[in-house]
Amino acid sequence: MATTTTLGLEVLFTREQIAGRVRQMGEQITHDLAGEKLVMIGVLKGAAIFLSDLARSVSVDTTFDFVAVSSYGKSNRTSGAVKLIKDLDEPIEGKNVLIVEDILDTGLTLAYLRKMFLQHHPKSLRIAALLDKPSRRIEQIEADYVGFSIPNLFVIGYGMDFAERYRNLPDICLMPTETA
Ligand code: IMP
Ligand code: MG
């Protein structure tokens, strides 16, 4: 039987599973950037909790920045319109950048951000996504670090929302369709 939370939600990844995987991702990033400095750029709001845990699993010299985007026409994804709501605070030219995102879904958001950041000529640009839904991809883009690859399911918790709710759930849960 699947684990359920106090809200009666089905758990896809427990807080322990998430913590273990995030620690491994941090170790890999530390290894790959040994001796370098790093700027982690979190994509608000979904990645805030993931970034806070990932950052503490990385032992290279790290600073944070955040961007916020909104995507138009979720029902009409072919438009692919992504709008920047909050820009970077600091220039990234010549820096090692790691974009930290909750979910790589269609890829529209990360393709937009990657293109925009590359115009600023960072020293390197990598992507860390906690979850990946490869079957949903519209834009050709892959993350350098992926926590878990999942099928086409709608998930909530650990930063991820449904209509802004559930971000504070400690586990990653499935969104029940009947209450959506
Ligand atoms: P993309 O541009 O389609 O790759 O969209 C990625 C964004 O869509 C993520 O950062 C999330 O904000 C949102 N998203 C995609 N799938 C889910 C999900 O299952 N739960 C919550 N948010 C999701
Ligand atoms: Mg997001």
Side-chain angles (χ1 to χ4, degrees):
M1 208 183 99
T3 316
T4 52
T5 66
T6 46
L7 293 177
L9 299 165
E10 190 179 331
V11 175
L12 187 60
F13 299 108
T14 65
R15 61 201 79 179
E16 292 82 12
Q17 288 174 308
I18 300 166
R21 188 70 189 110
V22 171
R23 202 173 310 119
Q24 290 174 339
M25 294 173 84
E27 284 165 8
Q28 186 66 51
I29 293 163
T30 300
H31 174 266
D32 293 350
L33 285 150
E36 298 277 335
K37 289 184 180 178
L38 176 64
V39 187
M40 286 191 178
I41 301 178
V43 185
L44 295 171
K45 303 168 198 168
I49 293 178
F50 174 43
L51 184 143
S52 75
D53 283 342
L54 184 66
R56 286 177 290 176
S57 301
V58 165
S59 55
V60 297
D61 187 346
T62 299
T63 58
F64 299 163
D65 209 336
F66 293 93
V67 291
V69 294
S70 80
S71 19
Y72 287 125
K74 280 280 179 184
S75 53
N76 178 24
R77 286 178 177 270
T78 45
S79 77
V82 178
K83 185 185 171 197
L84 193 70
I85 303 289
K86 185 218 166 290
D87 205 345
L88 294 169
D89 291 337
E90 299 290 334
I92 56 169
E93 185 175 348
K95 296 181 180 171
N96 295 300
V97 168
L98 179 68
I99 308 177
V100 180
E101 173 65 309
D102 53 0
I103 308 188
L104 177 49
D105 186 27
T106 64
L108 293 170
T109 305
L110 280 169
Y112 169 87
L113 289 174
R114 178 178 61 180
K115 187 176 172 203
M116 184 179 72
F117 292 158
L118 285 174
Q119 288 167 357
H120 294 273
H121 304 291
K123 182 176 179 185
S124 66
L125 181 65
R126 293 175 171 83
I127 295 172
L130 180 61
L131 300 179
D132 185 10
K133 296 187 201 174
S135 67
R136 296 260 308 156
R137 207 73 91 247
I138 292 173
E139 284 282 346
Q140 185 82 26
I141 187 162
E142 297 304 325
D144 300 273
Y145 310 97
V146 171
F148 304 100
S149 193
I150 62 169
N152 184 17
L153 300 168
F154 198 86
V155 296
I156 49 177
Y158 196 74
M160 291 167 283
D161 73 309
F162 175 76
E164 295 299 325
R165 296 175 63 204
Y166 308 110
R167 293 194 195 275
N168 63 320
L169 296 177
D171 308 301
I172 296 176
C173 301
L174 293 179
M175 184 66 207
T177 40
E178 66 274 20
T179 56

